[in-house]
Amino acid sequence: MMRAAPSSTPSPASIAPSPEIRGTRPELAELVLIAREHPGLLGKSVIGLVSDVFGPSDWLSGPGDDGAAIPLAGTNVIACGEALWPPFVASDPYGAGVAAVLTNVNDLAAMGATPLGIIDTIVADDSVAHRVLQGMRYACEIYGVPLLGGHLTRGDGAPSVSAFGIGCASHPLSVANIRSGQRLVFACAVEGDMREDFPFFRSFDVRAEKVAGDVRVLADVADSGACVAAKDVSMAGFVGSLAMLLEHGRFGVTVDLDKVARPRGVPMHRWLSCFPSFGFLLCVPSGREDDCLRPFHQRGLKADVIGEIDPGGQVALRRGAERVTAFDLSTETVTRLRRA
């Protein structure tokens, strides 16, 4: 899916509480308001145009999940793609090159796939294209994935970068596998720092020697049956990405914020609003929690059970005895994609 990078993250004080959540704990009210007004989340509704033109889909063969699964020769080829926000490409072409690889590797991981390669398309002047390719080279090296080829056009207008990932998965992870009673796990890397110009938490530099193995953990837990569905936390933020994970089946969950790992010194509202370079939401069959958590812990990553999937459709946040609903998927949607 295309991602639209927000230009800024709203601060808690910048949005007045709405009537339906007045009276709740101020922090929870602020977190919900920030989640619902997140520019990256609001930009997801345009994805519904795909259903308007192509009609409903099963989400696994596409569109719907973070990638499409194509059965082939006893396994599944996973294909995905990303378009980078043009102002980001113009202001930081090297970072855009890194992001072009990172987003695809994360999408492949969220499908339970091992990455096989990246294909790119670049339209830019020579200077910008050179920096984009340098960023892609760095990311390909640390993630252990080759650049297979692509397309490069010299252009003097606004630069454009897109990239596409190819992977393979024996047991694809899909939102179609989510059921009530499964446990919701959040796995993330908390080493690193937050960019100041837009909400991106980068851990790939400090974990450069580890990230290739980190993203391949999801294929391991998929193959073992310890995880059946996953989504990377991306431009829609934590709560928005969670809503996208659950909207296919209109499931709900109450997230225990006290169990959500976050980097030291990063306020909760910034952490839940950002795109972490390694952050995944996983649906885990009851009884398989330890089997899912252990591989992440063994790599020094954070992973905890933060809730239980339920049939009610409410995506809610809880702290102590207080709970507030962020989205009601029984009546609203994020992407407007229709299921077959």
Side-chain angles (χ1 to χ4, degrees):
M1 295 181 184
M2 285 197 304
R3 306 188 194 275
S7 58
S8 63
T9 305
S11 65
S14 67
I15 306 173
S18 59
E20 64 268 21
I21 58 175
R22 284 176 182 156
T24 63
R25 183 179 299 195
E27 181 195 21
L28 288 179
E30 291 161 356
L31 292 175
V32 167
L33 287 166
I34 290 170
R36 292 190 63 88
E37 296 296 325
H38 197 302
L41 171 76
L42 297 176
K44 295 296 183 181
S45 64
V46 72
I47 298 172
L49 290 174
V50 179
S51 286
D52 293 343
V53 175
F54 286 89
S57 74
D58 65 2
W59 288 39
L60 176 59
S61 59
D65 275 309
D66 280 340
I70 305 101
L72 179 67
T75 186
N76 296 272
V77 174
I78 308 297
C80 58
E82 298 290 340
L84 279 295
W85 195 43
F88 174 40
V89 179
S91 64
D92 184 3
Y94 181 89
V98 174
V101 176
L102 179 151
T103 52
N104 276 288
V105 169
N106 280 358
D107 279 352
L108 290 170
M111 293 294 297
T114 299
L116 297 177
I118 300 291
I119 299 169
D120 66 8
T121 64
I122 303 171
V123 180
D125 62 36
D126 288 9
S127 175
V128 170
H130 188 263
R131 289 295 288 161
V132 169
L133 290 168
Q134 286 180 320
M136 295 188 71
R137 177 177 178 176
Y138 170 69
C140 284
E141 288 174 350
I142 64 173
Y143 283 102
V145 57
L147 179 66
L148 302 176
H151 178 84
L152 175 58
T153 295
R154 178 182 286 141
D156 296 326
S160 173
V161 175
S162 296
F164 310 89
I166 304 290
C168 63
S170 299
H171 301 88
L173 301 176
S174 174
V175 295
N177 299 328
I178 299 175
R179 300 290 185 273
S180 294
Q182 293 170 356
R183 303 310 193 251
L184 178 68
V185 166
F186 178 48
C188 63
V190 296
E191 310 100 311
D193 60 355
M194 189 80 73
R195 284 187 65 136
E196 294 300 324
D197 53 348
F198 67 94
F200 180 76
F201 186 84
R202 49 193 173 199
S203 57
F204 53 79
D205 284 331
V206 296
R207 294 185 63 87
E209 297 181 358
K210 301 177 181 179
V211 292
D214 292 347
V215 295
R216 288 163 171 81
V217 170
L218 282 93
D220 293 338
V221 295
D223 289 346
S224 73
C227 176
V228 297
K231 190 163 194 64
D232 66 313
V233 177
S234 58
M235 294 310 303
F238 178 96
V239 182
S241 298
L242 176 56
M244 292 172 69
L245 173 69
L246 299 180
E247 71 172 331
H248 172 269
R250 300 193 176 189
F251 290 104
V253 69
T254 297
V255 173
D256 185 347
L257 289 178
D258 291 329
K259 294 183 179 179
V260 174
R262 61 186 164 104
R264 184 174 301 174
V266 177
M268 183 66 81
H269 76 272
R270 291 201 70 198
W271 180 235
L272 296 188
S273 299
C274 82
F275 180 168
S277 63
F278 186 93
F280 290 87
L281 296 157
L282 303 93
C283 295
V284 178
S286 178
R288 300 298 306 275
E289 296 90 342
D290 289 344
D291 296 332
C292 182
L293 300 177
R294 189 180 308 111
F296 293 103
H297 294 162
Q298 289 173 341
R299 298 195 59 80
L301 296 162
K302 299 292 185 182
D304 297 281
V305 176
I306 62 171
E308 180 177 331
I309 307 301
D310 64 64
Q314 293 186 348
V315 178
L317 304 180
R318 177 171 65 84
R319 177 152 275 171
E322 192 149 19
R323 175 185 181 275
V324 60
T325 298
F327 296 96
D328 187 347
L329 298 176
S330 68
T331 60
E332 56 187 335
T333 181
V334 178
T335 65
R336 297 193 305 111
L337 281 173
R338 301 197 304 272
R339 54 182 289 182

